[in-house]
Amino acid sequence: METPKVFESEYRFCLILWRHEPINSAELARLCKEELGWSRTTTYTVIKRLQNRGVVQNVNATVSSLYSKEDIQVAQMDEMMEKTFEGSVPAFLAAFARRQELSQEDLDEILRILKKK
Amino acid sequence: METLFLKLLNLSLTASWMVLAVLLVRLVFRKAPRWIYCLLWGLVGLRLACPFSVESAFSLIPSAQPVPESILMNQVPHIQSGIGAIDAIVNPVLESTLTSNPAASANPAQVWAFIFSVLWAIGLVGILLYGVGSAVLLRYRLRTATKLRDNIWQSDQIESPFVFGLFRPRIYVPYNIPEEDLPYVLAHEETHIRRHDHWWKPLGFVLLAVYWFNPLLWVSYVLLCRDIEAACDEKVIREMAEDARVGYSTALLRCSARPAVLAACPLAFGEVGVKERIARVMQYRKPAVVLVVLALLVTVVVAVCLLTNPKEPAADREEDPRPPASVNQENPKDSTPGTESNLENAAGLIAWVVPENPDEIWNIPSDLTIELPELPGFVFRYNGVITATKPDGTEETLMQGMPIWNAYFQDINGDGIRELCATLSIGSGIVDDRILCWESSTDTVYTLEDRMLYDYTLRVENGVLVADQRRFSDGNLVATGRLVLRDGALGMEQTDPSVLADILLTPGNSFVSWECLYLSPLSSAIATGDSGFRYEIREDGFAKIPQAGWHEPEGAVIYPGGEPLEKDDAEDDEEDGLIPVSDWSWQPFPWTEEEWAELVLMGSESISSLPSQVQDLRHLPLNEQAFLLFADGDLLLVNTNVPSSGHMDIWSIYSMVYEETMGTAVWWCSHQATSDVQPAFSFQFDEGAAVFATCNNGQLIDYDSASGDHEAPTDRALDFPAGHAVWWDPRNADGTYARNAAISFSYPGKDGKYCFGTLYIHSDEGDPLQEDVLYTARVVGTGLHIESAASDESPHAVVTYTPAH
């Protein structure tokens, strides 16, 4: 199944959720107010929206995610790869490497991920 | 709502002048700091937002009220843009399209004003809804924005950074904004907040929504948006190190989203005009103090000249360096738009009492006073009537009418003192217009009037008082000329005979002959002033109508000496009726002087040398047997005779006069005779001259009113001794009533010459045996005029003869 699309604001929300899940929705709204400056209704709206898209579930006012942080990151990466680098991993790596210094650990991690695939 | 709309229309039109000025300043001071532009736009906004304005003598606004509110009420709508050329173009259009038809229930100007104001309201509501709607939508989309710090928020819903919110403005930036751009972007947006641009821009939008019908203001709004951004950029980089400009420009470039539609403009800061802004940022130099001061000065001038309304005309007059007359005028409006001005001109004209609208002659401001420098001590006052307070303190009514239409002062007798001239309407039921003129040296009021026959009205043409003479019966203009007071008489001086030439040919004009200028030696008729016909100018032709009673019943017309007068054979042979004329326009006179002299063989000197005597001689062919001539204002009818040889001869030439100028007399013929002479009608010739008269119908009675003696009618021809009136009885010997009659007469005129004439009497309707019937008598003959006498006493009508000069 295709990982659903998550927008940037929603991703910020998900970051909070992943840290605290499972979490009571009222508590989640309080945290969003604190960290994102969202009103309660906005938080509920976003929960509802992500619920509809199948990203999170809300059972008895307890919210938890259906996708891991990595899933979402990979999906976002895929989308960016497709959009910006026309699906070419080398092009992406070249751009990525030029932009920041890669440590040996970073390179090892990258190789590990690539091999796993 | 219409009134509100008109008010806004006027505000918008006056503000347009300001917009043009701001555009001009922007063009001239291209290097000026942009905050000055913003200041200028603020002035435009002030002009638009303030329903009233201070008056100032320095105002350059041509007219504070280009579209007067009275346009809703006036029968003939006018605008007063303050620019003659515009008024001259627009007003005729308004007149032709919006002039109210008295029969229709509503004034078209009102209807249109209603339609336009409804359209305006729809537009206003629509644009405001759009503005509010897009703001609400944006606010909804920004709900999920996440707080970065303080009032800075990030959103995935937007493409470029902006400030949003009226009272707690927040800066919104996209998530993906490059880190290194953020300081510049924030500096820019924070500066917007410090400049309170988040108030000015929505304010501009609201004004735009109110004045949406003015395209200039749309231009203004777009430019305002640009100038706000540019001013903001300037403020940012002024407070920034020089080397930071590249970074700032890069940030600008990266943030430039898709070209901002006006849609994004209302309440948010879509970035506009990026290319120019980058250029400006890179080239920015602190503007020279001189330039700033100069631009500020211009701003002040714009504010004073265009933020204020022009002073009222009355005030203008006081500042006129050559005040010829102190005018205390409470009428604040300009005078009749497009025609004349309240200001005096070189000819010494003062327009004093002038209706705002020529069609609303009742609508004249009351209680006006005026003094003339050449008449110290005189105070003229208009308050429905015109009175004059004289140096000795007495007050005298000079003119009264119902109403007095207008009043002017102009020297029309050449004595260097202006005369007071006015148009008045007199009478109830039968109202006629006349011109009155008060001359100060004689303290006399002169009148130009011809009740029941002509109306005379005053107007100003090229600074000169001009009288228009219109026929009472149909309102046709018959003459126009400069008003002159000469030899104790008020008259008109024909200024342009060419105008008269065309006036003469106005359809509906009817003429009778006045003088027979030429009669062919072959004719057996006697040249009298009466051709026996009346002539009418019609759309489709020239009608030649036998005078009622001239041809019937049969009966010789006898003149002194008992010789039977034979009627003009040539004219009898001609076919009566309509001569078709397709083109009523004058042609050049087709003959040389020699050729003409040949045509009028044995004519008098004045006729044979006509082409050399007359300056303006024109020709209008009617048919093979007749043509018209225009000779320096006179209309001549020429009848020709084409013998078998084919060589044309001129048979007769008659000068023509308007039928009305000969005059008429009317009386009711009573069907119940109460005396010997009833229902007869009496005519007196001059002051009771001895008259020889014949009639062809009815009977003549010689009735000595002094003694009561009268002779039973024995003949249709009678000699009336001096002092006796000529009585005409419509009853024939057999008891029938004559409905038409021609009374030919001759008597010695004041100049010793015999004058000849014909009285044409007719009655069209009614049965004289059963009811009272109206008879009309007209006279035709050189120098003659007929008028009903003032009283019912005999004589009932007076015929007068004025010898030719």
Side-chain angles (χ1 to χ4, degrees), chain B residues 115 143 210 245 278 281 315 459 466 576 753:
Chain B
I115 292 171
R143 274 186 326 162
V210 173
R245 287 188 195 175
I278 288 175
V281 165
R459 67 188 163 85
V466 166
D576 304 331
K753 288 182 188 161

Side-chain angles (χ1 to χ4, degrees), chain B residues 239-305:
Chain B
E239 298 157 0
M240 198 178 259
E242 184 124 354
D243 54 0
R245 287 188 195 175
V246 180
Y248 186 76
S249 301
T250 317
L252 261 183
L253 186 61
R254 268 199 280 246
C255 287
S256 62
R258 277 147 221 141
V261 211
L262 204 62
C265 244
L267 306 176
F269 285 99
E271 309 284 331
V272 284
V274 168
K275 196 175 130 201
E276 293 82 7
R277 283 170 60 194
I278 288 175
R280 279 191 58 78
V281 165
M282 293 314 288
Q283 291 159 9
Y284 180 79
R285 229 165 276 124
K286 206 168 166 26
V289 177
V290 181
L291 185 69
V292 174
V293 170
L294 201 63
L296 267 179
L297 264 175
V298 169
T299 308
V300 171
V301 169
V302 168
V304 170
C305 294

Side-chain angles (χ1 to χ4, degrees), chain A residues 94-112:
Chain A
F96 188 69
R98 204 171 57 198
R99 192 156 164 116
Q100 50 195 123
E101 205 72 25
L102 292 179
S103 66
Q104 188 57 49
E105 282 165 35
D106 290 338
L107 287 173
D108 289 346
E109 176 77 3
I110 292 167
L111 285 171
R112 190 181 60 79

